[in-house]
Amino acid sequence: MTLSNEIQKFLDSQIEYYINQAESYKELAQEYNPDANSVPDTAFGIIIGCIYSSFLQTYANQNSTPNSQDVEEFTKLIIKNSKKIKESTQIDDDSKL
C-alpha cells in the first residue's frame, strides 16, 4: 500500500464520518434532485465526492499531489467501503424524504 498510515487512518475516519452523517446528505440530495428514486444515488455521489476532496486536500496541505499509485489505493479503499456507504444512503420506510 502506498498511502501513508496517517492518510489511511484519516480516510477511514472520513468514510465513517460520512456514513454516520448520511441522513444529512440524503436531505441535501433531496434538495438538489427531488426525484425520490435517485436520492440515494445522488447522496452516494456527494459523499464519494466529499471523501475524494478530503483525500486531495491532505496532499495539498503537505504541498504535494497524489501519484497514480495513491489514487489507485484511494479507489480500492472506496470500492472496499462502497457497500457500507451505499447502504447508509438508502431511504428507510420511515424516511421523510
Side-chain angles (χ1 to χ4, degrees), residues 1-92:
M1 183 177 262
T2 61
L3 296 176
S4 71
N5 285 337
E6 180 181 320
I7 291 174
Q8 178 71 42
K9 286 179 184 178
F10 175 72
L11 290 174
D12 288 341
S13 72
Q14 289 291 287
I15 290 167
E16 287 305 312
Y17 170 80
Y18 286 106
I19 286 171
N20 292 331
Q21 297 298 317
E23 189 64 35
S24 297
Y25 291 92
K26 288 190 294 187
E27 291 173 11
L28 180 65
Q30 179 68 28
E31 292 296 318
Y32 284 111
N33 189 355
D35 178 6
N37 292 328
S38 65
V39 166
D41 291 335
T42 303
F44 178 80
I46 293 169
I47 290 170
I48 297 300
C50 289
I51 296 167
Y52 184 66
S53 178
S54 295
F55 168 70
L56 294 177
Q57 189 62 48
T58 60
Y59 284 88
N61 290 345
Q62 299 171 3
N63 294 321
S64 181
T65 56
N67 62 37
S68 62
Q69 290 175 326
D70 296 332
V71 173
E72 185 177 328
E73 290 298 321
F74 171 81
T75 302
K76 287 178 184 178
L77 180 66
I78 292 300
I79 290 169
K80 176 181 150 192
N81 288 282
S82 64
K83 183 177 179 182
K84 287 191 324 187
I85 297 167
K86 186 70 170 173
E87 287 172 352
S88 75
T89 65
Q90 298 303 303
I91 296 176
D92 301 321

